[in-house]
Amino acid sequence: MSGVMSNNSKMEVQDLPLETTSSLPPNIIQTILTLMPMRDAFRTSILSNNWRNQCLNIPKLRFDDAVFQGPSCKNGSMRWKLLYIVYPILLLHQGPILEFSLCISQLISCCEIDQIILHLSRIATLKKLTLCIESGDDHKLLPAFFNLQQLTVLKLQKCVFQPPVTFKGFSRLVSLSFNNVSITAEVFLRFISNCPRLKDLTLIGDEKHLMGRWNSDFVELFECLPLVERLCMSWYPIKCFATGVIPQKLPTSLVHLKYLHLTGLSFAREIDVHSVLLLVTSSPNIDTIILKMQYNPNEAVSQTAMNLIDQQGYSNVILDHLRVLTISNFASMKTGMDFVKLVLAKSPMLKMVDIVIDKRVDINGEVKMLKELVQYPRVSAKAEIRFERP
């Protein structure tokens, strides 16, 4: 079996003789079923009773568009798919469910989702949960959702996160992704402060979803995230935490942070430039920085932002572990150029600066930027600057 399992990502069960597949040990069958798309995994139930029984014990249930292909699902409504496909699979399931994912195009908030969550909360074995509402109203999570105390990974999209007053957080949670989740600052900070193992945070949102008054700052945020290794944030949450006077550096360095991904910021805005500098220079062990910038050729660059890097001393900043810097929607703003110049001068292990130029930058502007950037001093002899268009 070692030869078969070493290529399991490409293996088709039907390629094996029927007598071989029927007599495989249960643990091998479970491994195969877990690696297969769910639709294909359930098709293996026709092979034998052994396979049929194992299909009822698949520990990872992932419902996506591929599961609902075929004529029987073509004309079914979203609620029909949940009621007559997803829920029966849950009811017939006999083993522990470790992972459950519901990400279907046009998934809407409905009571059938509540029934699914209620069922999962009674099993009490779930470690990874993904729920992505795609359209319509946000889905308000049942109180039963907050009983999923075994969760280590949680991904929510377009949900309303309002826990009961007795909720103490998810003590085992390692990875959290909120994409347009309706929540207040008070609830969010209290929640993550009660997730002591949290290492991976994604927070994407807008004014509609980050409700109420957000008057907390970055210092308060990272006091709740002492172990954070991966951080992904969009512009509006960054703005929410960039309140008051932004320090040049956090009082406690983000020594565990290795991956930083920021989207929607502009090199024209002082608050955005200051936030990027704060997060980067407070992360001495950072390995990868990805900035998906927002460029508006009609937006004037603030004078303070233009001189921000020049005005502040970064002589003590050393990014000893930075290897990759990626910036998209880049334009020839002084602030953006100064930021790249700073990174080149402070990163002895840097290997790649990957810059995707905004499509509105003409060829003359591109050549001018490239000529300037290649002349910047760099402490890494291996640092390569790569320019490309989208």
Side-chain angles (χ1 to χ4, degrees):
M1 278 302 300
S2 60
V4 174
M5 294 309 297
S6 66
N7 295 293
N8 51 39
S9 62
K10 299 180 180 179
M11 184 189 66
E12 294 288 345
V13 173
Q14 58 264 34
D15 291 341
L16 296 174
L18 183 58
E19 62 273 14
T20 301
T21 59
S22 299
S23 60
L24 289 174
N27 63 318
I28 298 298
I29 295 178
Q30 277 294 306
T31 300
I32 294 172
L33 292 175
T34 301
L35 294 170
M36 295 175 70
M38 256 191 58
R39 182 178 175 85
D40 295 334
F42 279 97
R43 283 176 170 176
T44 64
S45 62
I46 66 173
L47 294 175
S48 68
N49 288 333
N50 194 11
W51 282 84
R52 187 178 301 110
N53 292 334
Q54 291 305 318
C55 282
L56 300 178
N57 291 291
I58 298 176
K60 299 179 181 180
L61 301 178
R62 306 183 186 99
F63 296 94
D64 55 19
D65 288 336
V67 175
F68 302 98
Q69 293 176 352
S72 61
C73 298
K74 185 176 181 180
N75 297 320
S77 68
M78 181 56 60
R79 297 183 66 177
W80 181 90
K81 293 174 182 177
L82 297 178
L83 187 60
Y84 292 103
I85 298 179
V86 178
Y87 202 54
I89 289 176
L90 285 176
L91 290 177
L92 293 172
H93 199 278
Q94 297 177 355
I97 298 176
L98 304 180
E99 181 177 335
F100 183 87
S101 176
L102 187 59
C103 289
I104 312 169
S105 296
Q106 305 306 313
L107 181 63
I108 59 173
S109 174
C110 56
C111 61
E112 285 75 17
I113 293 176
D114 290 338
Q115 294 302 311
I116 291 170
I117 295 297
L118 187 60
H119 184 81
L120 292 172
S121 69
R122 291 168 178 164
I123 299 174
T125 59
L126 194 65
K127 295 183 179 297
K128 299 181 180 182
L129 173 63
T130 299
L131 174 59
C132 298
I133 306 299
E134 294 291 344
S135 60
D137 297 332
D138 295 352
H139 184 79
K140 185 174 181 179
L141 299 167
L142 284 178
F145 165 84
F146 300 96
N147 295 330
L148 297 169
Q149 287 298 310
Q150 302 300 314
L151 284 180
T152 60
V153 177
L154 174 61
K155 298 180 181 180
L156 297 177
Q157 178 174 297
K158 282 181 63 62
C159 293
V160 179
F161 196 91
Q162 292 180 346
V165 293
T166 55
F167 178 61
K168 301 299 183 182
F170 295 126
S171 61
R172 300 173 185 268
L173 199 66
V174 174
S175 178
L176 173 66
S177 176
F178 276 2
N179 189 342
N180 286 328
V181 169
S182 296
I183 191 170
T184 65
E186 180 184 2
V187 170
F188 177 74
L189 290 174
R190 185 171 67 245
F191 170 48
I192 62 172
S193 67
N194 285 308
C195 301
R197 301 184 185 183
L198 196 58
K199 296 181 180 181
D200 183 349
L201 173 63
T202 297
L203 184 59
I204 309 296
D206 53 24
E207 190 171 1
K208 174 185 175 182
H209 292 91
L210 303 184
M211 304 181 300
R213 182 176 178 82
W214 287 65
N215 54 6
S216 304
D217 57 21
F218 282 118
V219 175
E220 187 174 1
L221 171 65
F222 289 110
E223 283 177 350
C224 302
L225 297 168
L227 302 180
V228 65
E229 296 179 3
R230 291 173 57 90
L231 179 65
C232 304
M233 294 180 72
S234 64
W235 173 77
Y236 190 76
I238 291 171
K239 178 186 175 183
C240 289
F241 289 107
T243 58
V245 178
I246 303 176
Q248 182 176 342
K249 195 174 182 180
L250 291 170
T252 302
S253 294
L254 306 176
V255 294
H256 299 285
L257 189 64
K258 297 179 181 179
Y259 180 94
L260 179 65
H261 187 162
L262 306 177
T263 64
L265 279 71
S266 170
F267 280 124
R269 295 191 291 259
E270 176 187 355
I271 191 173
D272 295 13
V273 176
H274 213 154
S275 297
V276 172
L277 288 171
L278 173 66
L279 295 176
V280 169
T281 59
S282 298
S283 307
N285 297 315
I286 197 160
D287 173 272
T288 302
I289 301 172
I290 299 176
L291 304 177
K292 293 187 176 180
M293 307 301 290
Q294 183 183 70
Y295 171 59
N296 182 354
N298 299 319
E299 183 178 23
V301 183
S302 86
Q303 191 63 41
T304 308
M306 188 177 297
N307 299 316
L308 188 60
I309 297 179
D310 291 341
Q311 291 174 358
Q312 302 191 36
Y314 291 96
S315 57
N316 295 325
V317 174
I318 300 178
L319 303 173
D320 272 338
H321 301 276
L322 184 65
R323 295 161 59 87
V324 177
L325 170 65
T326 299
I327 308 178
S328 59
N329 296 328
F330 193 78
S332 56
M333 291 184 184
K334 181 179 184 298
T335 46
M337 301 293 284
D338 286 348
F339 177 76
V340 176
K341 184 176 182 180
L342 176 68
V343 170
L344 288 171
K346 299 294 182 178
S347 310
M349 299 301 292
L350 190 65
K351 290 189 175 181
M352 175 61 67
V353 177
D354 195 356
I355 296 178
V356 181
I357 305 167
D358 188 271
K359 61 184 179 181
R360 287 162 289 189
V361 175
D362 61 27
I363 188 64
N364 292 330
E366 178 181 349
V367 172
K368 181 180 178 181
M369 279 192 292
L370 185 56
K371 284 182 177 180
E372 185 175 343
L373 286 172
V374 296
Q375 294 177 2
Y376 287 161
R378 61 192 82 174
V379 292
S380 172
K382 298 181 179 179
E384 175 187 353
I385 299 177
R386 184 170 62 190
F387 260 44
E388 58 182 314
R389 287 188 174 272

